[in-house]
């Protein structure tokens, strides 16, 4: 996104306005001329010949909502004041109720401190914060010829690692200043980069595959200017790249509603989030208080949530003449329309199945949070209409309502009368109305928060012990699943009810990436944690030997001894010994190490006092096991994956 032409100059080169670009593409959204709104006293209820009841089914749940918000860019547009931060992220009267803040990753570290004040206050008020870069540091960039542009910029192909470190450094800077970033984007609009940095889909895939794992929070890509699927399809079709993507981000400048759905994401994006990370609508030239033009924001949000299945909806500048907050710090009409969603559809609420277009010019959507169902109804028509709403299988006890139209802004209304689980309401001409229906407790909609980034506590040639900060959930966390992330996608390798687990069965000298999901008692899954990289130690270079003997036996059991010898010339620190029993023997107790067994396969890791075996030295392990009619010795032993001699 660039500053619009009417905005004050900045210290960066001016770029073509969105209006110019969209007009050239033939995709500029145009509002049809609309009749003036009817005065309230003269409004009449239209007779609908085929009005459908909006039947809301709490049992049919769609996407979880992450939130609504906007961009703060102190360098280009000036920072929000302290009072404006409260207006943006507070949820009282006259406030927007935003729960998402987008900030800028500047290429110049000297500008990073500008982002802290608003981000910190937004986080204190419960918002999540994510960050987007427009350019890498200049030293990491090269110019090239792209069509008629002779000075196009791209990230140097030998600097991907350095760029990932730049993004990670920004994350750490914000964390050190009290803001834990929810996610970091790879690039703003890589397909609309005349004045910033171009990326191809192949370059995005490569960065995700090879470098995104170094970023210690969730990763967003590709933030296409017009939700061009050709930029994100290759990511979805590459299992390794997809494993390192947490949020698929998109902008909706001029994108037709027919292009909002994304079947490939629905097919392959399980466990990922889908966000609309930037837009203004319908333009940046008109006042945000023009009515009914501002009402178009409500229909746009409806289609993004219902047709597109987006979980977040993020405006461009929060404070602007065309934005949700006017330059005087007060809500605009566009902002009020956004607030009809943001104030009442809160993070963790779930969209429910309901008719989207029950009659001409009327758009409806429904969301559940705890024991309340929120319905947002947009009437684009020039006459008031009567609309019936009903909740399937759910008893409703009360309805509250708020309306915005030509003369009212987020004005509380007397709720319509209830008859069982249904009510009939009048939707004023050219209006947006939010209904909050109190119900009996329905399905628990809130998924757990993402677990913390796993920390490697210990690693051997065949195992890794991981721990992480716990998730939170309003009904508690039932379990955690640890997944291995690789070219095949995600594979569950361990489950636990605690925040610590040892993953076994690893190969020596091999790199792995692990992440964690949390589940609550109803089975809702959290977003995935960030990944952690683990490399197991290689097999010993100098060789090893194993002496195995039975020292005592009795009916059904025996005691054994294993002497593990380091025949190399350097000390061995950290090891895993593997062998297999073939006659049903089971190790019950072992000293000198810790044994895990699956079937006949046994894996032993050291105790603290046996962890290091000096060159030419040995350690002795003892164990007690059960046995059957026979008790043959293991045929082979392996240390850190390499064969050892036996005796």
């Amino acid at each position: 996104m660039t500053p619009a032409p009417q905005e004050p100059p900045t210290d960066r080169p001016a770029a073509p306005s969105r209006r110019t670009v969209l007009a050239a593409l033939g995709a500029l959204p145009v509002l049809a001329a609309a009749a003036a709104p009817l005065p309230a006293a003269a409004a009449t209820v239209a007779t609908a010949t085929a009005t459908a009841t909006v039947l809301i089914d709490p049992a049919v749940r769609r996407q979880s909502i992450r939130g609504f918000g906007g961009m703060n860019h102190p360098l280009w547009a000036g920072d929000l004041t302290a009072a404006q931060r409260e207006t943006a992220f507070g949820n009282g009267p006259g406030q927007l109720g935003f729960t998402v803040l987008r900030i800028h990753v500047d290429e110049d570290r000297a500008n990073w401190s500008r982002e802290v004040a608003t981000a910190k206050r937004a986080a204190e008020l419960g918002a999540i914060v994510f960050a987007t870069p427009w350019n890498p540091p200049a030293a990491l960039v090269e110019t090239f010829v792209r069509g008629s542009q002779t000075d196009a910029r791209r990230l140097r192909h030998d600097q991907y690692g350095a760029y990932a470190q730049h993004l990670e450094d920004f994350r750490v800077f914000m964390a050190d200043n009290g803001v834990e970033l929810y996610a970091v984007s790879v690039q703003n609009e890589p397909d609309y980069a005349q004045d910033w940095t171009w990326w191809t889909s192949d370059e995005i895939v490569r960065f995700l595959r090879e470098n995104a794992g170094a970023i210690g929070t969730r990763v967003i890509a590709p933030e296409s200017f017009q939700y061009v699927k050709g930029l994100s399809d290759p990511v979805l079709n590459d299992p390794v790249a997809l494993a390192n993507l947490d949020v698929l981000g998109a902008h909706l400048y001029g994108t037709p509603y027919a292009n909002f759905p994304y079947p490939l994401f629905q097919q392959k994006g399980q466990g990922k989030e889908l966000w609309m990370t930037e837009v203004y609508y319908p333009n940046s030239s008109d006042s945000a208080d023009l009515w009914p033009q501002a009402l178009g924001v409500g229909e746009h949000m409806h289609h993004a949530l219902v047709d597109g299945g987006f979980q977040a909806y993020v405006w461009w500048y929060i404070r602007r003449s065309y934005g949700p907050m006017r330059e005087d710090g007060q809500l605009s009409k566009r902002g009020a329309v956004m607030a009809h969603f943001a104030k009442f559809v809160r993070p963790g609420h779930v969209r429910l199945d309901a008719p989207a277009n029950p009659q001409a010019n009327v758009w409806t959507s429904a969301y559940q949070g705890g024991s309340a169902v929120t319905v947002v109804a947009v009437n684009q028509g020039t006459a008031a209409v009567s609309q019936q709403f009903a909740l399937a299988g759910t008893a409703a006890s009360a309805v509250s309502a708020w309306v915005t139209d030509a003369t009212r802004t987020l004005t509380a209304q007397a709720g319509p009368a209830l008859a069982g689980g249904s009510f009939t309401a009048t939707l004023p001409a050219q209006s947006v109305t939010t209904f909050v229906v109190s119900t009996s407790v329905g399905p628990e909609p809130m998924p757990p928060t993402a677990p913390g980034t796993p920390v490697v506590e210990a690693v051997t040639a065949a195992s890794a012990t991981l721990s992480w900060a716990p998730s939170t959930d309003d009904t508690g966390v039932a379990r955690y699943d640890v997944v291995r992330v690789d070219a095949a996608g995600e594979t569950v390798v361990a489950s636990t009810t605690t925040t610590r687990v040892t993953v076994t069965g690893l190969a020596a000298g091999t790199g792995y990436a692990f992440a964690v999901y949390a589940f609550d008692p109803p089975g809702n899954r959290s977003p995935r944690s960030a990944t952690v990289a683990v490399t197991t130690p290689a097999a010993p270079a100098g060789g090893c030997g194993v002496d195995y003997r039975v020292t005592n036996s009795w009916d059904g059991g025996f005691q054994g001894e294993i002497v593990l010898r380091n025949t190399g010339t350097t000390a061995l620190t950290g090891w895993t010994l593997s062998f297999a029993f073939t006659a049903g023997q089971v190790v019950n107790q072992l000293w000198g190490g810790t044994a895990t067994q699956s079937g006949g396969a046994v894996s032993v890791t050291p105790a603290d006092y046996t962890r290091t075996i000096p060159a030419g030295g040995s350690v002795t392990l003892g164990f007690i096991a059960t046995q059957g009619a026979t008790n043959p010795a293991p045929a082979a032993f392996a240390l850190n994956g390499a064969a050892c001699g036996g005796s």
Side-chain angles (χ1 to χ4, degrees), residues 238-313:
D238 187 298
V240 179
L242 182 59
N244 285 326
L245 177 76
D246 301 287
V247 180
L248 195 151
H251 299 180
L252 295 179
Y253 289 106
T255 310
Y257 293 149
N259 290 350
F260 281 17
Y262 199 175
L264 186 64
F265 179 84
Q266 299 305 321
Q267 175 189 351
K268 297 193 173 184
Q270 296 301 311
K272 313 299 178 182
E273 296 187 63
L274 182 64
W275 291 10
M276 198 293 294
T277 53
E278 184 189 312
V279 79
Y280 53 69
Y281 186 90
N283 55 48
S284 62
S285 55
D286 290 341
S287 165
D289 287 314
L290 287 180
W291 196 267
Q293 287 86 339
L295 185 58
V297 174
E299 184 180 348
H300 193 266
M301 295 179 72
H302 167 91
H303 287 292
L305 295 165
V306 174
D307 300 341
F310 287 103
Q311 297 167 267
Y313 186 99

Side-chain angles (χ1 to χ4, degrees), residues 416-472:
L418 279 164
S422 68
F423 62 93
T424 299
T426 297
L427 307 180
Q430 295 176 324
S431 68
V432 55
T433 307
T434 297
F435 302 98
V436 177
V437 185
S438 299
T439 72
S440 58
V441 177
E444 196 280 317
M446 180 78 75
T449 61
T453 303
V455 175
V456 181
E457 292 187 354
V459 60
T460 71
S463 68
T465 300
L466 310 174
S467 63
W468 52 89
S471 298
T472 58

Side-chain angles (χ1 to χ4, degrees), residues 505-539:
L506 307 182
T510 304
Y512 296 90
F514 297 104
V516 184
Y517 288 102
F519 292 81
D520 63 13
N524 297 309
R525 187 175 75 169
S526 74
R528 196 183 77 185
S529 75
T531 58
V532 65
V534 175
T535 300
T536 55

Side-chain angles (χ1 to χ4, degrees), residues 477-631:
V477 175
R479 77 173 196 277
Y480 297 93
D481 280 359
V482 177
V483 295
R484 184 180 68 244
V485 181
D486 56 23
E490 297 177 347
T491 303
V492 177
V493 293
S495 294
T496 180
T497 58
T498 71
T499 57
R500 186 177 185 274
V501 74
T502 298
V503 179
T504 60
L506 307 182
T510 304
Y512 296 90
F514 297 104
V516 184
Y517 288 102
F519 292 81
D520 63 13
N524 297 309
R525 187 175 75 169
S526 74
R528 196 183 77 185
S529 75
T531 58
V532 65
V534 175
T535 300
T536 55
C544 59
V546 173
D547 300 320
Y548 175 92
R549 69 188 182 105
V550 174
T551 60
N552 194 11
S553 62
W554 54 91
D555 187 21
F558 71 102
Q559 180 176 334
E561 180 184 87
I562 299 173
V563 178
L564 175 58
R565 294 178 282 109
N566 177 7
T567 60
T569 58
T570 59
L572 177 64
T573 300
W575 48 265
T576 300
L577 179 67
S578 303
F579 57 92
F581 285 123
T582 59
Q585 302 99 317
V586 176
V587 175
N588 298 317
Q589 182 181 354
L590 184 138
W591 49 96
T594 300
T596 58
Q597 186 167 350
S598 177
V602 181
S603 179
V604 180
T605 54
D608 287 341
Y609 64 91
T610 60
R611 185 171 304 279
T612 298
I613 308 176
S618 65
V619 296
T620 300
L621 312 173
F623 65 92
I624 294 173
T626 58
Q627 68 173 71
T630 61
N631 186 19

Side-chain angles (χ1 to χ4, degrees), residues 26-189:
L28 180 65
V30 177
L31 282 178
L38 296 173
T44 59
V45 176
T47 301
T49 56
T51 301
T53 297
V54 176
L55 180 61
I56 301 162
D57 189 351
V60 182
R61 295 147 58 84
R62 307 301 183 185
Q63 78 271 26
S64 296
I65 302 301
R66 182 60 58 192
F68 305 87
M71 176 86 188
N72 185 54
H73 202 314
L75 188 63
W76 293 356
D79 199 2
L80 297 180
T81 66
Q84 290 165 357
R85 293 166 194 151
E86 304 301 310
T87 299
F89 301 101
N91 200 24
Q95 297 178 329
L96 283 162
F98 280 176
T99 52
V100 180
L101 171 64
R102 184 183 186 219
I103 63 174
H104 177 219
V105 184
D106 200 277
E107 55 265 38
D108 184 351
R109 293 171 182 245
N111 291 322
W112 287 1
S113 60
R114 296 172 182 256
E115 307 295 338
V116 172
T118 292
K120 188 171 183 178
R121 184 55 183 154
E124 290 170 349
L125 291 169
I128 59 172
V129 183
F130 75 99
T132 300
W134 270 246
N135 288 303
L140 309 184
V141 175
E142 64 183 3
T143 59
F144 69 108
V145 176
R146 186 183 186 277
S148 62
Q149 188 181 2
T150 58
D151 61 346
R153 283 180 286 180
R154 68 185 173 203
L155 179 64
R156 284 171 46 186
H157 287 184
D158 62 345
Q159 295 297 326
Y160 279 31
Y163 181 52
Q165 187 61 54
H166 171 73
L167 299 179
E168 170 64 3
D169 288 348
F170 181 79
R171 183 199 68 78
V172 172
F173 173 85
M174 294 302 294
D176 288 345
N177 284 276
V179 180
E180 293 289 344
L181 293 179
Y182 185 87
V184 172
S185 175
V186 174
Q187 171 66 46
N188 174 74
E189 296 178 348

